[in-house]
Amino acid sequence: MKFIPPGSIVAVLLVLIVSQLCFAFLPYRQRAYLPILLMTALGFALGQLWDFLGLPSLRLGQANLVPALFFALLLQPLARFVPRPSREPKEPDARRAPPG
């Protein structure tokens, strides 16, 4: 545990909490949790980039908070464009199947 920075633990917990809140309270139809989690994680990564560039921010420990929340909320409408695997099994193509 000595090698894991505390800021990364706080950031992972914040990503999980914010993604759950976005999934529960944002009014989008036909949503899956995984794209929302992905967009929230991307928003927090952009918030860390904001901090890396030295722009002003509000921090919670080592984790950047305000720009990360802003980017996470800003990216949520894009969650519907994240490709998801279909739940239906793939049927073999009848044209390519050998006769028999």
Side-chain angles (χ1 to χ4, degrees):
M1 283 304 266
K2 286 197 267 186
F3 301 112
I4 301 173
S8 62
I9 295 172
V10 170
V12 167
L13 290 175
L14 284 173
V15 165
L16 291 173
I17 291 168
V18 171
S19 66
Q20 285 290 323
L21 290 173
C22 288
F23 184 73
F25 294 115
L26 292 180
Y28 297 114
R29 292 182 286 160
Q30 298 179 359
R31 304 175 291 168
Y33 176 67
L34 193 59
I36 291 175
L37 178 65
L38 180 68
M39 289 296 123
T40 305
L42 183 63
F44 271 79
L46 287 173
Q48 293 302 323
L49 177 67
W50 179 282
D51 186 43
F52 178 75
L53 294 174
L55 299 170
S57 63
L58 179 65
R59 299 167 71 70
L60 181 63
Q62 291 178 345
N64 191 4
L65 189 61
V66 173
L69 286 173
F70 174 72
F71 285 125
L73 289 174
L74 189 67
L75 291 173
Q76 289 306 312
L78 298 177
R80 64 182 178 171
F81 298 113
V82 174
R84 295 182 306 228
S86 65
R87 294 182 181 221
E88 299 174 9
K90 293 184 178 180
E91 297 287 329
D93 193 6
R95 293 176 284 161
R96 294 187 184 183

